[in-house]
Amino acid sequence: VEKTKVKDFIHINDFDKETIKKILDRAIEVKELIKSGERTFQPFKGKTLAMVFAKPSLRTHVSFETGFSLLGGHAVYLAPEDIQMGSREETRDVARILSRFTDIVMARVFTHKDILTLSKYATVPIINGLTDYNHPCQIMADAITLIEHLGRLEGSKVAYVGDGNNVVHSWLELASLFPIHFTCATPKGFEPDAKTVAKARQAGISKIVITNDPKEAVKGADIVYTDVWASMGQKEEAQKRRLMFKGFQVDQNLMDLAGSNALFMHCLPAEKGVEVTEEVIEGPKSIIFAQAENRLHAQNAIMLHVLGE
Ligand code: CP
Ligand code: NVA
């Protein structure tokens, strides 16, 4: 494989703290520019982004497509049935073909191995738009949301309640660079990957607590965060999981335990009345739409970084 590219965006902790800080600062800067109506900043002019989806999406699809075109580029959407990665087309061939046509590739896949294969065989930057293992673009957007709503990222307490999977793993990636207090409460058997937890703890930067007690986890939290109990690819387990996750719903009682300043976040899409009550997600402490908007701005800065702009 001839490799000429320098950068992918696969895990937040593939980078050092300074680089991630620079990307976050740039995101806020470009956000202001875009929101001011300024349209002369066109760094992606003449460039093409391929967006590969093996799973559904609203936010990731629209934010990458609009972000890339707002900054002058052209984005191509590839639905799951277009490529049929792994059956109609080998994953490594997807990487080699798209590298001939495009300047940058964003991919949302099932197994994490697929994003690593794309990265290995592509000669253009690969951005991880979610795998079963992690969701780095989401947590970059969430970091901006914390900076905007709490005035800081460092020292904030984030309490995640629910399934210890992809979103949690990316919080742990962030926690290995920036000092936060991250607590994660899951039912037994749904804890985050032990190696990922150990690696984040070894970094020695953040206070990391993994527990099966949601009430304990949320005490004093600045942010109470949850995600669906059945992720994409697990929807047939939804009924079973509802029983197993009993007691882990974010409701007003849990928010009250967190304290009167606690804000509610959710990466969306949400199942209202399942992992979170309608009262909380639609309530005054919920910042889900500001959070979703920051996907656009985080990703613009990530793309600027990997394209060396
Ligand atoms: N949060 C998130 O990634 O949303 P989509 O699945 O709609 O892209
Ligand atoms: N954990 C969820 C996140 C969706 C953005 C999933 O993987 O489906």
Side-chain angles (χ1 to χ4, degrees):
V1 196
E2 77 280 19
K3 276 274 280 216
T4 49
K5 73 170 160 176
V6 261
K7 294 169 195 147
D8 294 312
F9 193 82
I10 309 280
H11 317 91
I12 294 172
N13 57 345
D14 289 339
F15 299 87
D16 58 20
K17 179 183 174 182
E18 286 62 43
T19 306
I20 294 298
K21 179 81 175 61
K22 245 174 43 199
I23 296 173
L24 296 173
D25 289 346
R26 192 89 194 276
I28 293 168
E29 230 175 81
V30 178
K31 175 176 183 175
E32 277 170 22
L33 197 72
I34 287 174
K35 294 193 80 111
S36 77
E38 167 72 50
R39 293 291 180 268
T40 57
F41 181 52
Q42 302 277 289
F44 300 149
K45 192 157 187 275
K47 293 199 191 305
T48 303
L49 161 73
M51 305 182 295
V52 175
F53 284 90
K55 294 173 174 170
S57 169
L58 172 61
R59 279 146 294 272
T60 306
H61 177 177
V62 180
S63 56
F64 268 102
E65 184 162 337
T66 54
F68 203 69
S69 75
L70 276 170
L71 301 186
H74 175 72
V76 179
Y77 171 70
L78 295 149
E81 58 274 20
D82 290 330
I83 300 185
Q84 299 170 38
M85 199 163 70
S87 54
R88 182 175 185 270
E89 197 88 39
E90 276 186 33
T91 305
R92 58 183 179 157
D93 288 356
V94 174
R96 291 182 288 192
I97 295 298
L98 290 177
S99 295
R100 299 289 176 124
F101 293 140
T102 70
D103 301 283
I104 176 169
V105 174
M106 186 285 305
R108 163 169 288 191
V109 296
F110 284 93
T111 165
H112 197 65
K113 230 169 101 191
D114 283 347
I115 202 89
L116 300 177
T117 302
L118 289 173
S119 161
K120 182 174 172 194
Y121 286 94
T123 54
V124 299
I126 298 287
I127 297 181
N128 178 354
L130 175 136
T131 73
D132 288 347
Y133 174 69
N134 70 347
H135 199 0
C137 291
Q138 179 69 53
I139 277 52
M140 290 293 282
D142 297 346
I144 296 166
T145 311
L146 261 59
I147 293 167
E148 289 175 341
H149 284 79
L150 305 177
R152 68 191 200 287
L153 175 58
E154 306 201 1
S156 56
K157 178 172 178 182
V158 177
Y160 179 99
V161 178
D163 191 7
N165 67 340
N166 42 18
V167 164
V168 172
H169 295 148
S170 283
W171 270 111
L172 291 167
E173 293 167 5
L174 188 78
S176 51
L177 301 181
F178 293 86
I180 61 174
H181 181 179
F182 182 69
T183 63
C184 171
T186 74
K188 288 212 167 69
F190 294 92
E191 292 86 358
D193 172 59
K195 270 195 201 143
T196 306
V197 174
K199 195 174 166 196
R201 282 189 172 136
Q202 268 155 27
I205 302 291
S206 290
K207 182 168 179 200
I208 293 164
V209 177
I210 311 295
T211 167
N212 302 118
D213 181 354
K215 295 194 174 80
E216 193 53 44
V218 300
K219 274 190 192 136
D222 298 299
I223 304 289
V224 178
Y225 196 123
T226 191
D227 185 10
V228 287
W229 291 344
S231 283
M232 289 180 268
Q234 303 172 331
K235 295 301 176 191
E236 67 295 337
E237 293 176 27
Q239 277 313 107
K240 196 179 81 194
R241 281 172 173 257
R242 282 187 195 194
L243 299 174
M244 299 172 110
F245 281 75
K246 208 169 167 291
F248 287 80
Q249 185 188 60
V250 177
D251 59 11
Q252 196 53 52
N253 284 336
L254 204 63
M255 290 302 292
D256 290 345
L257 274 178
S260 56
N261 290 325
L263 300 173
F264 173 77
M265 290 174 74
H266 191 310
C267 60
L268 303 178
E271 284 204 66
K272 298 177 188 177
V274 180
E275 72 272 10
V276 56
T277 59
E278 174 98 13
E279 184 185 12
V280 168
I281 197 166
E282 296 289 346
K285 298 296 182 179
S286 173
I287 54 171
I288 53 172
F289 298 112
Q291 177 188 3
E293 182 191 331
N294 282 329
R295 292 293 304 279
L296 172 74
H297 306 297
Q299 291 155 194
N300 281 346
I302 290 165
M303 293 191 287
L304 285 165
H305 181 73
V306 298
L307 286 171
E309 298 287 341

